[in-house]
Amino acid sequence: MSKTTATTTITTNSDQVPFFQVRRKLYNIIVRGFLRLTTLVTVGLLIFMIGYILINGLKHLTIPMLTTQSSYIEDTIGIFPNIMNTLYMILISMLIALPLGIGAAVYLNEYATNRRLVTTIEFAAETLTGIPSIVFGLVGMLVFIHLFGLKQGVLAGSLTLVMIILPTIIRTTQESLKSIPDDYRHGSLALGSGKWHMVRTVVLPSAMDGIVTGSILAIGRIVGESAALLFTAGFGLRLNSLFKSLQRSSASLTVALYVYVSERGEMEAGFAIAALLMLITLLLNFAATYFGNKLKKR
Amino acid sequence: MIINVQKLNLWYADNHALKDISMDVPRNQITALIGPSGCGKSTFLKTLNRMQDLNPIVRIEGEVWYNGNNIYDPKMDVTDLRKHIGMVFQKANPFPMSIYDNIAYGPRTHGIRARAKLDAIVEKALKDAAIWDEVKDRLRKPALSLSGGQQQRLCIARALAVEPDILLMDEATSALDPISTGRIEELVTQLKKKYTVIMVTHNMQQAVRISDQCAFFLLGELIEYSDTSTLFSTPTDKRTEDYITGRFG
Ligand SMILES: Nc1ncnc2c1ncn2[C@@H]1O[C@H](COP(=O)(O)OP(=O)(O)OP(=O)(O)O)[C@@H](O)[C@H]1O
Ligand SMILES: [Mg+2]
């Protein structure tokens, strides 16, 4: 009995709704459905990627593999040298790029008075980020190896990486410098600080979160870079001390992945390295988001 | 006279914001600057410690004598000048550091490192600014955790910690509740024993309550300048009279 009543009510209602409203409703439902589908596909792809690599990779990522180097005699594969090479390159390129990048950002934001020059440099840095990294590799090889006479190795590779990450560091530092209110600067100067004292004691400490975020992003790029290192850091798979590696062919994790898979057909090693890279990238992304949020809260 | 301004003119690009200002500021007194919004009070105040140097579009002509030196002399040491002429901004601007570090910032800038000495300076400055009792148990807490009124007094303390000769205050109480305002007025009255205070205020009652001298600005000109009681009881200029009786502005 009550069921009939309900049906009747609904029929009466839809009779009163004008046609265009129904059409709009339908339209909304279709659009929303489509958007939902695109999100689903994107998230699905992402989860598939991560899952596929972790499932196929993690099982081969053994402790011996992480802690030894490859041996032809024992026919084992170890990626310890490549982990170290990647760390060496992070260390050296950050040591060079951080002071340069922070210095440039501070100069552009705090000292430079020529607006035209500043925007030109900002534009150049922006453009630099869009250049394919294999081009950086080519330039790095021509400049650092052919012109300066370095050997293929961690040093030439790191110098090339510096060119790649410098714009990122400059931009993130600059962005956080811009977010610092002038009140702080004026407050410091009004107490009789010199300009550099003001920058060092008030501006830079406030920009710290941004600098940290930029550094994490830069480290992410270093870890993920391969093309630029093929020409410059080389394919060497042997373990070297930091000092010796500078001028000796040294494959990073990414380059080692390439070597093992495409030159030796070692798919298992390839997946293991891919899984390791994936884990590092996820970790760095979480860290960057964490510091980025902290920055935004200010 | 601690400050002597002579024929001071200032332009923001083409905008002639200060016109031929000449005035003497007496030592150990409170001088108030009043006038309608946009008349140039803040602009004038910022010429006295050369904060206008930070604005590239500003052009200044004329002289400001402080203790026998023209502060616009190219040989003037601007950081040293600002150490002697402190400033409290309209909007409280504590640094994002602890309360202690805010107050110690100036002394440290000028080379004081010894812990005991800094402790003493911080305590004295906070006491002088009438905020010691409220913060003495949380000197290590961030200054930004204080209320607006407390932040403003903290900024006053921060300025006092470098022991300036002159304190410039730009509407230091405009954002505060009556109680905080009262405390700061009381504080400023105390300060004149040791310091010379030049303050911008929108509040004419405040000017009457605490200032000794009063200067009325209008459209970049100094219309009238005399001791406060005279200016408010028997103004000589019609425009001053109109302003203080509330007929415009
Ligand atoms: N940074 C600036 N750049 C350009 N023009 C400025 C700048 N600061 C102030 N002016 C102009 O100078 C004139 C005086 O401004 P000023 O801030 O000194 O006024 P004020 O008396 O302090 O006003 P208020 O009571 O509103 O604070 C105004 O016409 C203003 O537009
Ligand atoms: Mg003002």
Side-chain angles (χ1 to χ4, degrees):
Chain A
M1 195 62 203
S2 63
K3 228 177 192 175
T4 354
T5 332
T7 326
T8 332
T9 333
I10 288 170
T11 333
T12 337
N13 263 349
S14 55
D15 275 352
Q16 287 164 348
V17 176
F19 175 66
F20 70 88
Q21 262 186 23
V22 176
R23 207 172 60 175
R24 192 193 293 159
K25 240 185 203 158
L26 203 69
Y27 182 73
N28 275 339
I29 290 171
I30 291 173
V31 167
R32 195 175 305 161
F34 179 73
L35 291 178
R36 227 176 251 171
L37 190 73
T38 54
T39 318
L40 219 69
V41 170
T42 317
V43 174
L45 269 177
L46 192 72
I47 291 177
F48 170 75
M49 265 285 282
I50 298 177
Y52 186 73
I53 288 173
L54 289 184
I55 287 168
N56 285 301
L58 281 181
K59 61 182 176 218
H60 303 299
L61 197 63
T62 58
I63 299 288
M65 180 177 217
L66 286 168
T67 53
T68 60
Q69 54 180 329
S70 295
S71 157
Y72 285 107
I73 303 167
E74 290 164 36
D75 194 23
T76 55
I77 290 180
I79 57 169
F80 184 64
N82 314 108
I83 296 176
M84 290 314 288
N85 289 340
T86 296
L87 287 178
Y88 294 160
M89 286 186 231
I90 292 175
L91 182 75
I92 292 172
S93 43
M94 289 303 279
L95 269 180
I96 301 170
L98 263 188
L100 273 182
I102 295 174
V106 166
Y107 177 76
L108 289 174
N109 206 61
E110 308 293 324
Y111 288 86
T113 43
N114 186 342
R115 280 314 312 166
R116 273 272 258 324
L117 182 75
V118 173
T119 34
T120 311
I121 294 176
E122 284 174 357
F123 178 72
E126 207 64 41
T127 312
L128 227 50
T129 31
I131 293 178
S133 55
I134 190 96
V135 176
F136 279 105
L138 190 67
V139 172
M141 179 176 75
L142 290 175
V143 173
F144 301 125
I145 295 176
H146 293 180
L147 193 67
F148 293 177
L150 292 178
K151 297 216 177 67
Q152 260 195 355
V154 165
L155 186 57
S158 300
L159 290 172
T160 309
L161 288 169
V162 167
M163 298 194 292
I164 296 176
I165 61 176
L166 206 48
T168 309
I169 294 180
I170 293 178
R171 203 185 50 231
T172 47
T173 307
Q174 240 188 324
E175 256 155 39
S176 77
L177 289 176
K178 278 181 193 157
S179 77
I180 298 170
D182 270 342
D183 293 357
Y184 293 167
R185 299 182 176 86
H186 294 171
S188 172
L189 293 174
L191 288 167
S193 310
K195 181 127 186 189
W196 171 238
H197 182 82
M198 178 269 283
V199 169
R200 191 167 53 79
T201 55
V202 176
V203 174
L204 280 180
S206 309
M208 216 53 216
D209 314 10
I211 294 172
V212 171
T213 311
S215 303
I216 295 170
L217 292 175
I219 291 174
R221 278 224 63 177
I222 297 173
V223 172
E225 187 50 61
S226 51
L229 298 176
L230 295 175
F231 298 139
T232 53
F235 297 83
L237 296 175
R238 306 238 52 90
L239 181 64
N240 289 305
S241 68
L242 171 60
F243 186 71
K244 284 198 175 140
S245 73
L246 292 180
Q247 298 251 53
R248 256 185 219 176
S249 177
S250 306
S252 67
L253 279 170
T254 44
V255 173
L257 189 154
Y258 169 78
V259 173
Y260 282 123
V261 172
S262 78
E263 295 187 359
R264 301 214 202 152
E266 299 275 7
M267 287 310 285
E268 292 178 0
F271 268 113
I273 297 176
L276 181 61
L277 285 170
M278 186 72 93
L279 289 178
I280 298 174
T281 312
L282 287 177
L283 199 76
L284 288 173
N285 269 344
F286 282 131
T289 316
Y290 172 76
F291 283 104
N293 281 344
K294 246 176 90 173
L295 180 71
K296 253 181 252 142
K297 260 189 228 136
R298 202 181 44 218
Chain B
M1 291 302 137
I2 192 163
I3 283 204
N4 167 246
V5 180
Q6 285 178 8
K7 291 205 169 301
L8 186 73
N9 282 282
L10 182 145
W11 291 263
Y12 289 111
D14 293 336
N15 177 7
H16 196 175
L18 292 177
K19 297 167 188 158
D20 267 334
I21 310 288
S22 297
M23 75 187 266
D24 289 332
V25 178
R27 190 182 293 275
N28 289 70
Q29 294 207 354
I30 299 171
T31 301
L33 312 179
I34 61 168
S37 186
C39 67
K41 306 178 296 290
S42 301
T43 301
F44 176 69
L45 204 67
K46 279 187 276 179
T47 59
L48 301 181
N49 64 346
R50 286 193 52 177
M51 286 302 276
Q52 293 289 14
D53 292 14
L54 304 177
N55 188 339
I57 66 167
V58 164
R59 190 162 60 85
I60 292 176
E61 280 174 10
E63 293 165 4
V64 177
W65 293 85
Y66 161 62
N67 272 351
N69 299 305
N70 178 7
I71 69 167
Y72 283 97
D73 188 319
K75 286 198 289 278
M76 188 75 210
D77 177 350
V78 180
T79 56
D80 190 57
L81 173 78
R82 292 188 187 139
K83 187 180 159 196
H84 288 103
I85 307 186
M87 181 162 215
V88 178
F89 296 82
Q90 172 169 0
K91 193 165 148 268
N93 59 347
F95 302 131
M97 326 167 169
S98 71
I99 294 171
Y100 184 97
D101 288 338
N102 261 277
I103 309 298
Y105 185 89
R108 280 181 178 141
T109 299
H110 301 294
I112 299 175
R113 290 265 164 257
R115 190 52 206 259
K117 201 163 178 201
L118 283 174
D119 285 351
I121 292 174
V122 168
E123 179 169 345
K124 183 163 176 301
L126 288 169
K127 278 182 174 158
D128 281 351
I131 188 179
W132 171 250
D133 288 332
E134 290 155 71
V135 300
K136 63 171 186 277
D137 298 323
R138 46 171 174 155
L139 293 176
R140 295 287 156 199
K141 292 273 156 56
L144 293 168
S145 69
L146 296 172
S147 76
Q150 289 173 327
Q151 288 189 10
Q152 194 57 280
R153 276 177 286 148
L154 182 84
C155 291
I156 295 175
R158 186 176 69 186
L160 296 181
V162 294
E163 304 203 306
D165 254 0
I166 303 177
L167 199 59
L168 309 175
M169 304 175 82
D170 194 348
E171 296 184 53
T173 61
S174 65
L176 303 184
D177 63 275
I179 293 174
S180 305
T181 303
R183 301 198 65 159
I184 289 179
E185 286 181 6
E186 201 177 307
L187 160 68
V188 172
T189 321
Q190 291 296 313
L191 290 178
K192 76 173 173 180
K193 290 184 197 131
K194 284 189 271 179
Y195 306 92
T196 303
V197 178
I198 305 175
M199 57 184 293
V200 171
T201 178
H202 259 141
N203 180 331
M204 278 183 274
Q205 284 79 34
Q206 182 172 66
V208 174
R209 275 197 299 272
I210 63 176
S211 71
D212 303 298
Q213 312 284 316
C214 192
F216 171 61
F217 283 76
L218 186 65
L219 297 172
E221 284 179 74
L222 176 58
I223 304 295
E224 189 160 353
Y225 176 47
S226 63
D227 59 86
T228 303
S229 51
T230 313
L231 188 121
F232 279 92
S233 57
T234 49
T236 50
D237 197 291
K238 179 79 172 54
R239 291 166 292 179
T240 313
E241 190 180 341
D242 285 348
Y243 183 70
I244 61 177
T245 53
R247 246 164 279 173
F248 71 84

